[in-house]
């Protein structure tokens, strides 16, 4: 009975946060679709970017949990994507209809535009950017190329997923803000060199004892080892 009560209490907490689907322009004018999850009295925004072939639906479960920790979240459809958790990527759909390119690098402008939009529209005290797979590489690039624009970065399964195999690493060497990197155990070799050259005095990594999972889905409760990732994320966020 106690377990059932705890579960119901947790579900009721997750349902108390407001969710709204919004749109705003990218740098080239393409409309971006995003889900805004607002936490009461929050002064920090976490901008959530998805992995390849997916959508803002990657964060259906994760964003409300971050709300419960006191963070307002914006889960973004980048133009390079598709569908996950029954949510179709509307930005990708518009980009294809308009004949725009939808490669990983093309989506970088969507990250740039999202940070600018949140600053102008909401003016939060702090902005944290968070990426998954290809976007986890792009958020590291953004953090390195724009040293004073944001307050922290979280990267789930980054790598040099681009034609230029030094594309992300060359930017990572300039990251000064708090940085968190994780992945499945088998992917560590794809980002350890990036992590090692990041000069930030506040950087953390998490390597699961189990096989783990690729990208931010590692936090999904259906995976038995998700709690280890959550413990690491919470510890990092608490110190920002």
């Amino acid at each position: 009975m106690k377990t059932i009560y705890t579960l119901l209490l947790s579900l009721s907490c997750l349902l108390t946060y407001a969710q709204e689907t919004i749109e705003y322009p990218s740098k080239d004018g393409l409309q971006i679709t995003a889900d805004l999850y607002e936490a009461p009295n929050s002064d920090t925004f976490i901008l959530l970017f998805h992995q390849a072939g997916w959508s803002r639906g990657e964060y259906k479960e994760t964003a409300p949990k971050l709300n419960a920790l006191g963070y307002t979240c914006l889960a973004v459809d980048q133009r390079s994507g598709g569908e996950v958790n029954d949510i179709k990527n509307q930005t990708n759909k518009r980009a294809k209809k308009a004949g725009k390119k939808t490669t990983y690098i093309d989506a970088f402008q969507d990250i740039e535009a999202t940070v600018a939009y949140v600053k102008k529209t909401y003016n939060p005290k702090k902005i944290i950017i968070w990426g998954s797979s290809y976007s986890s590489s792009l958020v590291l690039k953004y953090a390195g190329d724009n040293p004073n624009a944001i307050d922290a970065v979280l990267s789930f399964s980054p790598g040099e997923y681009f034609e230029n195999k030094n594309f992300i690493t060359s930017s990572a060497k300039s990251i000064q803000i708090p940085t968190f990197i994780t992945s499945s155990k088998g992917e560590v070799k794809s980002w350890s060199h990036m992590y090692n050259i990041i000069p930030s005095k506040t950087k953390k990594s998490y390597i699961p004892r189990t096989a783990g999972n690729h990208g931010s889905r590692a936090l999904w409760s259906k995976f038995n080892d998700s709690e280890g990732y959550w413990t690491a994320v919470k510890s990092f966020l608490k110190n920002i």
Side-chain angles (χ1 to χ4, degrees), residues 172 179-181 191-199 203-205:
T179 303
F180 174 85
I181 300 181
W191 55 264
S192 58
H193 63 290
M194 297 180 191
Y195 183 83
N196 290 335
I197 67 169
I198 293 173
K203 62 179 182 179
K204 300 290 182 182
S205 64

PDB file of all heavy atoms in Angstrom, residues 172 179-181 191-199 203-205:
ATOM      1  N   ALA A 172      35.490  22.608 -27.829  1.00  0.00           N
ATOM      2  CA  ALA A 172      35.479  22.138 -26.437  1.00  0.00           C
ATOM      3  C   ALA A 172      36.648  22.697 -25.638  1.00  0.00           C
ATOM      4  O   ALA A 172      36.530  22.932 -24.429  1.00  0.00           O
ATOM      5  CB  ALA A 172      35.503  20.613 -26.400  1.00  0.00           C
ATOM      6  N   THR A 179      30.371  21.824 -16.908  1.00  0.00           N
ATOM      7  CA  THR A 179      30.103  20.882 -17.990  1.00  0.00           C
ATOM      8  C   THR A 179      29.909  19.471 -17.444  1.00  0.00           C
ATOM      9  O   THR A 179      30.693  19.011 -16.604  1.00  0.00           O
ATOM     10  CB  THR A 179      31.269  20.880 -18.998  1.00  0.00           C
ATOM     11  OG1 THR A 179      31.476  22.208 -19.493  1.00  0.00           O
ATOM     12  CG2 THR A 179      30.990  19.948 -20.164  1.00  0.00           C
ATOM     13  N   PHE A 180      28.883  18.795 -17.958  1.00  0.00           N
ATOM     14  CA  PHE A 180      28.600  17.412 -17.569  1.00  0.00           C
ATOM     15  C   PHE A 180      28.518  16.560 -18.825  1.00  0.00           C
ATOM     16  O   PHE A 180      27.821  16.912 -19.770  1.00  0.00           O
ATOM     17  CB  PHE A 180      27.274  17.335 -16.810  1.00  0.00           C
ATOM     18  CG  PHE A 180      26.828  15.931 -16.482  1.00  0.00           C
ATOM     19  CD1 PHE A 180      27.286  15.293 -15.333  1.00  0.00           C
ATOM     20  CD2 PHE A 180      25.949  15.245 -17.307  1.00  0.00           C
ATOM     21  CE1 PHE A 180      26.871  13.999 -15.023  1.00  0.00           C
ATOM     22  CE2 PHE A 180      25.521  13.954 -16.998  1.00  0.00           C
ATOM     23  CZ  PHE A 180      25.984  13.326 -15.854  1.00  0.00           C
ATOM     24  N   ILE A 181      29.241  15.449 -18.844  1.00  0.00           N
ATOM     25  CA  ILE A 181      29.205  14.536 -19.995  1.00  0.00           C
ATOM     26  C   ILE A 181      28.989  13.109 -19.510  1.00  0.00           C
ATOM     27  O   ILE A 181      29.607  12.665 -18.534  1.00  0.00           O
ATOM     28  CB  ILE A 181      30.500  14.600 -20.826  1.00  0.00           C
ATOM     29  CG1 ILE A 181      30.726  16.011 -21.381  1.00  0.00           C
ATOM     30  CG2 ILE A 181      30.455  13.604 -21.976  1.00  0.00           C
ATOM     31  CD1 ILE A 181      31.983  16.148 -22.225  1.00  0.00           C
ATOM     32  N   TRP A 191      34.188  10.380 -26.496  1.00  0.00           N
ATOM     33  CA  TRP A 191      34.196  11.731 -25.930  1.00  0.00           C
ATOM     34  C   TRP A 191      35.257  11.996 -24.867  1.00  0.00           C
ATOM     35  O   TRP A 191      35.434  13.147 -24.433  1.00  0.00           O
ATOM     36  CB  TRP A 191      32.827  12.074 -25.338  1.00  0.00           C
ATOM     37  CG  TRP A 191      32.281  11.104 -24.314  1.00  0.00           C
ATOM     38  CD1 TRP A 191      31.408  10.076 -24.545  1.00  0.00           C
ATOM     39  CD2 TRP A 191      32.536  11.079 -22.902  1.00  0.00           C
ATOM     40  NE1 TRP A 191      31.109   9.412 -23.367  1.00  0.00           N
ATOM     41  CE2 TRP A 191      31.787  10.014 -22.348  1.00  0.00           C
ATOM     42  CE3 TRP A 191      33.318  11.862 -22.056  1.00  0.00           C
ATOM     43  CZ2 TRP A 191      31.798   9.695 -20.999  1.00  0.00           C
ATOM     44  CZ3 TRP A 191      33.347  11.555 -20.689  1.00  0.00           C
ATOM     45  CH2 TRP A 191      32.592  10.484 -20.174  1.00  0.00           C
ATOM     46  N   SER A 192      35.989  10.990 -24.452  1.00  0.00           N
ATOM     47  CA  SER A 192      36.973  11.188 -23.374  1.00  0.00           C
ATOM     48  C   SER A 192      38.018  12.234 -23.741  1.00  0.00           C
ATOM     49  O   SER A 192      38.444  13.027 -22.889  1.00  0.00           O
ATOM     50  CB  SER A 192      37.647   9.865 -23.019  1.00  0.00           C
ATOM     51  OG  SER A 192      38.286   9.298 -24.154  1.00  0.00           O
ATOM     52  N   HIS A 193      38.418  12.276 -25.009  1.00  0.00           N
ATOM     53  CA  HIS A 193      39.410  13.276 -25.425  1.00  0.00           C
ATOM     54  C   HIS A 193      38.828  14.682 -25.352  1.00  0.00           C
ATOM     55  O   HIS A 193      39.533  15.638 -25.010  1.00  0.00           O
ATOM     56  CB  HIS A 193      39.893  12.983 -26.844  1.00  0.00           C
ATOM     57  CG  HIS A 193      38.832  13.057 -27.896  1.00  0.00           C
ATOM     58  ND1 HIS A 193      37.809  12.128 -27.989  1.00  0.00           N
ATOM     59  CD2 HIS A 193      38.617  13.962 -28.887  1.00  0.00           C
ATOM     60  CE1 HIS A 193      37.013  12.452 -28.999  1.00  0.00           C
ATOM     61  NE2 HIS A 193      37.472  13.561 -29.552  1.00  0.00           N
ATOM     62  N   MET A 194      37.528  14.818 -25.671  1.00  0.00           N
ATOM     63  CA  MET A 194      36.867  16.121 -25.559  1.00  0.00           C
ATOM     64  C   MET A 194      36.846  16.565 -24.093  1.00  0.00           C
ATOM     65  O   MET A 194      37.176  17.703 -23.766  1.00  0.00           O
ATOM     66  CB  MET A 194      35.425  16.050 -26.062  1.00  0.00           C
ATOM     67  CG  MET A 194      35.242  15.725 -27.500  1.00  0.00           C
ATOM     68  SD  MET A 194      33.466  15.687 -27.869  1.00  0.00           S
ATOM     69  CE  MET A 194      33.509  14.961 -29.509  1.00  0.00           C
ATOM     70  N   TYR A 195      36.433  15.658 -23.250  1.00  0.00           N
ATOM     71  CA  TYR A 195      36.324  15.964 -21.822  1.00  0.00           C
ATOM     72  C   TYR A 195      37.672  16.397 -21.257  1.00  0.00           C
ATOM     73  O   TYR A 195      37.759  17.370 -20.491  1.00  0.00           O
ATOM     74  CB  TYR A 195      35.805  14.734 -21.075  1.00  0.00           C
ATOM     75  CG  TYR A 195      35.588  14.962 -19.601  1.00  0.00           C
ATOM     76  CD1 TYR A 195      34.411  15.542 -19.138  1.00  0.00           C
ATOM     77  CD2 TYR A 195      36.551  14.600 -18.668  1.00  0.00           C
ATOM     78  CE1 TYR A 195      34.204  15.758 -17.783  1.00  0.00           C
ATOM     79  CE2 TYR A 195      36.359  14.811 -17.319  1.00  0.00           C
ATOM     80  CZ  TYR A 195      35.177  15.389 -16.876  1.00  0.00           C
ATOM     81  OH  TYR A 195      34.993  15.609 -15.527  1.00  0.00           O
ATOM     82  N   ASN A 196      38.723  15.706 -21.642  1.00  0.00           N
ATOM     83  CA  ASN A 196      40.041  15.973 -21.082  1.00  0.00           C
ATOM     84  C   ASN A 196      40.577  17.360 -21.432  1.00  0.00           C
ATOM     85  O   ASN A 196      41.346  17.939 -20.652  1.00  0.00           O
ATOM     86  CB  ASN A 196      41.034  14.912 -21.543  1.00  0.00           C
ATOM     87  CG  ASN A 196      40.766  13.553 -20.913  1.00  0.00           C
ATOM     88  OD1 ASN A 196      40.176  13.471 -19.842  1.00  0.00           O
ATOM     89  ND2 ASN A 196      41.180  12.492 -21.575  1.00  0.00           N
ATOM     90  N   ILE A 197      40.186  17.896 -22.598  1.00  0.00           N
ATOM     91  CA  ILE A 197      40.724  19.209 -22.991  1.00  0.00           C
ATOM     92  C   ILE A 197      39.841  20.375 -22.549  1.00  0.00           C
ATOM     93  O   ILE A 197      40.230  21.527 -22.706  1.00  0.00           O
ATOM     94  CB  ILE A 197      40.951  19.299 -24.515  1.00  0.00           C
ATOM     95  CG1 ILE A 197      39.617  19.270 -25.270  1.00  0.00           C
ATOM     96  CG2 ILE A 197      41.882  18.213 -24.992  1.00  0.00           C
ATOM     97  CD1 ILE A 197      39.761  19.631 -26.736  1.00  0.00           C
ATOM     98  N   ILE A 198      38.663  20.088 -22.008  1.00  0.00           N
ATOM     99  CA  ILE A 198      37.795  21.169 -21.515  1.00  0.00           C
ATOM    100  C   ILE A 198      38.449  21.808 -20.296  1.00  0.00           C
ATOM    101  O   ILE A 198      38.718  21.133 -19.291  1.00  0.00           O
ATOM    102  CB  ILE A 198      36.394  20.637 -21.148  1.00  0.00           C
ATOM    103  CG1 ILE A 198      35.656  20.173 -22.407  1.00  0.00           C
ATOM    104  CG2 ILE A 198      35.574  21.694 -20.417  1.00  0.00           C
ATOM    105  CD1 ILE A 198      34.332  19.480 -22.128  1.00  0.00           C
ATOM    106  N   PRO A 199      38.721  23.115 -20.355  1.00  0.00           N
ATOM    107  CA  PRO A 199      39.445  23.770 -19.256  1.00  0.00           C
ATOM    108  C   PRO A 199      38.594  24.162 -18.053  1.00  0.00           C
ATOM    109  O   PRO A 199      39.134  24.610 -17.043  1.00  0.00           O
ATOM    110  CB  PRO A 199      40.027  25.018 -19.930  1.00  0.00           C
ATOM    111  CG  PRO A 199      39.043  25.341 -21.008  1.00  0.00           C
ATOM    112  CD  PRO A 199      38.553  24.013 -21.512  1.00  0.00           C
ATOM    113  N   LYS A 203      33.792  20.536 -14.072  1.00  0.00           N
ATOM    114  CA  LYS A 203      33.340  19.565 -15.060  1.00  0.00           C
ATOM    115  C   LYS A 203      33.202  18.199 -14.401  1.00  0.00           C
ATOM    116  O   LYS A 203      33.994  17.833 -13.528  1.00  0.00           O
ATOM    117  CB  LYS A 203      34.282  19.494 -16.256  1.00  0.00           C
ATOM    118  CG  LYS A 203      35.700  19.056 -15.962  1.00  0.00           C
ATOM    119  CD  LYS A 203      36.529  18.996 -17.253  1.00  0.00           C
ATOM    120  CE  LYS A 203      37.951  18.516 -16.977  1.00  0.00           C
ATOM    121  NZ  LYS A 203      38.753  18.424 -18.229  1.00  0.00           N
ATOM    122  N   LYS A 204      32.153  17.497 -14.798  1.00  0.00           N
ATOM    123  CA  LYS A 204      31.859  16.189 -14.225  1.00  0.00           C
ATOM    124  C   LYS A 204      31.523  15.211 -15.346  1.00  0.00           C
ATOM    125  O   LYS A 204      30.963  15.597 -16.377  1.00  0.00           O
ATOM    126  CB  LYS A 204      30.672  16.273 -13.259  1.00  0.00           C
ATOM    127  CG  LYS A 204      30.864  17.223 -12.078  1.00  0.00           C
ATOM    128  CD  LYS A 204      31.892  16.693 -11.094  1.00  0.00           C
ATOM    129  CE  LYS A 204      32.032  17.623  -9.894  1.00  0.00           C
ATOM    130  NZ  LYS A 204      33.067  17.129  -8.947  1.00  0.00           N
ATOM    131  N   SER A 205      31.836  13.953 -15.124  1.00  0.00           N
ATOM    132  CA  SER A 205      31.441  12.916 -16.070  1.00  0.00           C
ATOM    133  C   SER A 205      30.822  11.755 -15.297  1.00  0.00           C
ATOM    134  O   SER A 205      31.062  11.609 -14.091  1.00  0.00           O
ATOM    135  CB  SER A 205      32.644  12.417 -16.880  1.00  0.00           C
ATOM    136  OG  SER A 205      33.597  11.795 -16.038  1.00  0.00           O
TER     137      SER A 205
END
